[in-house]
Structure formats: C-alpha cells, structure tokens
Amino acid sequence: MTHAHSPPTWTARLGMALLTSALIGGLVGAAITRCSMTPATPQGRDGATTSPAPGRSGKQPLHSALADALASDGSRSRGADDLDRNIRRAGQDPGYLRELLRRYSFETDLDRRGALLAILQGVASDEVLQLGRQLAGNPDPDTRRSGLALLKAFPLDVAAVRDTLARQLRDERDPALLKESIDMLAPAVVASEDAAPLLERLAALRGHADAEVRASAVLQSVRWNKRGDDAAILEPALLDPDIAVRRAAIAGIEASGARSDGLKIALLDIAGDARAESDLRRSAAFALQNFALDRDEYALYRDALAALARADGAGPGLPLH
C-alpha cells in the first residue's frame, strides 16, 4: 500500500544526504588546501628532517636551486626541465647568476662542474664571457680548460672570443690545451682582417713539435683559408712523418676540394706505399677519385687498389671501381 506521506519523506532524506555530502566535501577540500599550502619538510641524505630555508618573494632559496643544479650524480629524473629552469632563472636573477659563476670558478668535482657549465653555457651572457676569458688566462691548466669550456658557448664572430683564442694560440704551452683551443675555431663569417691573426697563428702551429697540434692546425687552416691556395697548406702536410698529420691533410683535401699536381703525386705515393697503414692508403686512394689521372697515374692507382684488395684478403679477382 502506498502512503500519501512517503514522497516527502524520501525527498527529505535525499536532501539530508546531499547536505551531509556537501559538508564532508567542504571539510576534505579545506584539509587538502591546508596541506597544499604547507611546505614539505626537506630531508637530509640520512633521512633526517631539516628546516627549510626561507625564500624571498616566493622564489626558490638559492642553496636549494643550486642543489638541484649540482646533483652529485649529474642527472635527475627531470634533467632537461631542471636545466631549462636553472638557465631561465640565471638569466633573470643576477644574484643567482653571480653565485653560479662563483661556484664554477672554484668547483673541482667534475659532475658538479659539468652541471654548472651546462647552465652557464645556456645563459651565454656577457658575465659568462668575462669569466671565461678570465679563467682562460689563468696559470693553472685545469682552470684554463674551464675557461675555454665557457667560451665554447660563443660564436667566433664575437671579437672578444676571437681575441682570447688568438692569445691562447700564441701563449699556450700545454699541447693538449693548445689542440683544444685550435679545435674550438669553428669557422665564422668575419672580415679578412679579423681572420688574419688566427690564420697567422695556425700557420706557425703547422710546424709545432706535437703531431696532434700540427694535425689540428692543418685542418683549421683549410677551414679558415679563403684565399684559394689550400694546396700550399696541404702539400707539406701530406709529407709529414706522422700519420695523424697525413690523415688530417687527406681530410683537408676532401673538405676543400683542393687540387694540384703536388697533391696528386703525394696521394699516389701514399696509396701505393706497402709500409703505410691500410686505412691511410685507402683514404688516399679514395681522394684520388676526384683527380684527373693520366694513363701512367691511373695504372699506379689501379695497382694500389689491387694491393689493398689482396691485403684485405679479397684476392686478385676483386672488381675495382
């Protein structure tokens, strides 16, 4: 039997349930809001809690941001995001940038210094350039290397960077650092007068006692030379007693498209030299494909290819191209 008062009772119960649900929801929401407004208590490495340092103007405390940037393992789960965040902050917060520069100047841990370097290279500001130049002139080789690393963030059309590298090429006595300085000379479009000091120093370094320095100087000379006389640079390098320099000269021929009878004769000699390393002979033979060869020269070229094929165990029947 249906009673006339049943609908009002059901409606009242429903209203009471909704009211109770709203009250509970409000209490839960308030609790969540309070939790979200309460800063998490940081923990030390041993799990003990520490007191958070107060920030100013809602910014992350300086030491906390540095801790993110200088994670000892050199990587974080949000690595790219953390790097971008630190680069942005360093570009906007002069105090933070000064602290990063100060830390980089004295940091000895390789991972931490690498993290700082990544941020500072991303900023690439005048302050970063100034510190790079200052460190590059330091008597300590490791400090000079740190300065050069900062300067890698800047193109060579920046006069201050060119001047610093020109000074390094003139004054550096450590062969490894000298080679590193040479390798930094990524070609840039600059006035010939501005390129001249670099070319002058590279010309001198092509006669350096260290073979790796000579090899780097040969390659960079060709990359910077705009006079069209690359053959004059490469011919002596093909006759160098060290294989690293001869290999660099062959790479320079390929990169520059230089051609001369002197280059051709030297390449034929290398390709046909049974005492030379096979990879060097093969590189010389490959470079010869772009030279005009008369019949006698072509015969020497074919003989060199056949000898390389036999050395590789392919036998005399290997098709030659």
Side-chain angles (χ1 to χ4, degrees):
M1 177 181 297
T2 302
H3 298 282
H5 64 273
S6 294
T9 302
W10 180 84
T11 302
R13 289 176 179 174
L14 178 60
M16 183 63 69
L18 292 173
L19 178 60
T20 303
S21 176
L23 289 172
I24 293 174
L27 291 173
V28 171
I32 292 174
T33 301
R34 286 195 301 274
C35 289
S36 65
M37 295 177 63
T38 303
T41 303
Q43 291 186 341
R45 291 186 178 181
D46 58 357
T49 58
T50 59
S51 300
R56 289 179 294 181
S57 304
K59 293 182 179 178
Q60 184 183 15
L62 181 60
H63 70 82
S64 177
L66 282 174
D68 288 347
L70 306 178
S72 61
D73 61 359
S75 62
R76 295 172 58 84
S77 60
R78 305 184 310 277
D81 291 340
D82 286 341
L83 177 60
D84 290 343
R85 173 171 53 82
N86 279 284
I87 290 173
R88 285 195 301 271
R89 181 177 177 190
Q92 299 167 358
D93 185 342
Y96 182 52
L97 177 59
R98 283 194 299 271
E99 179 63 12
L100 292 177
L101 293 168
R102 185 191 68 80
R103 291 291 297 270
Y104 182 79
S105 299
F106 300 103
E107 185 60 66
T108 57
D109 180 84
L110 293 180
D111 288 334
R112 292 175 181 271
R113 189 166 65 189
L116 285 164
L117 176 63
I119 298 171
L120 294 174
Q121 285 182 329
V123 176
S125 63
D126 289 342
E127 294 83 358
V128 176
L129 174 59
Q130 181 179 356
L131 179 63
R133 299 187 69 192
Q134 175 186 331
L135 297 180
N138 193 280
D140 178 65
D142 288 336
T143 303
R144 293 201 299 278
R145 181 170 284 107
S146 296
L148 291 175
L150 285 180
L151 295 179
K152 289 178 182 178
F154 301 90
L156 268 294
D157 58 2
V158 178
V161 179
R162 283 198 315 277
D163 293 343
T164 302
L165 288 178
R167 183 191 69 199
Q168 293 297 116
L169 299 184
R170 183 190 67 227
D171 299 338
E172 184 59 65
R173 295 296 176 262
D174 184 307
L177 274 176
L178 187 53
K179 180 184 184 304
E180 189 170 336
S181 300
I182 297 171
D183 291 342
M184 287 176 60
L185 297 177
V189 178
V190 298
S192 58
E193 294 89 344
D194 295 329
L198 297 177
L199 282 166
E200 181 180 347
R201 291 307 307 152
L202 289 172
L205 293 172
R206 295 200 297 269
H208 195 273
D210 185 87
E212 294 295 331
V213 170
R214 295 199 305 276
S216 290
V218 166
L219 272 178
Q220 293 291 28
S221 293
V222 171
R223 297 178 75 187
W224 277 86
N225 184 41
K226 307 297 183 186
R227 296 190 297 261
D229 57 349
D230 294 324
I233 296 171
L234 296 168
E235 286 175 9
L238 280 178
L239 303 176
D240 193 279
D242 193 275
I243 187 174
V245 183
R246 298 198 300 275
R247 187 178 288 118
I250 295 174
I253 293 171
E254 291 294 311
S256 67
R259 301 288 182 267
S260 74
D261 288 341
L263 292 177
K264 181 168 57 175
I265 292 170
L267 289 172
L268 284 168
D269 287 343
I270 293 173
D273 186 358
R275 298 166 300 176
E277 293 190 10
S278 59
D279 65 331
L280 183 68
R281 296 174 62 192
R282 198 171 290 108
S283 296
F286 183 80
L288 281 167
Q289 295 180 91
N290 297 314
F291 283 76
L293 304 174
D294 61 27
R295 279 194 174 87
D296 291 339
E297 292 164 346
Y298 183 68
L300 292 173
Y301 169 70
R302 297 276 296 186
D303 288 345
L305 287 179
L308 283 168
R310 288 192 299 272
D312 289 341
L318 178 71
L320 299 176
H321 302 286

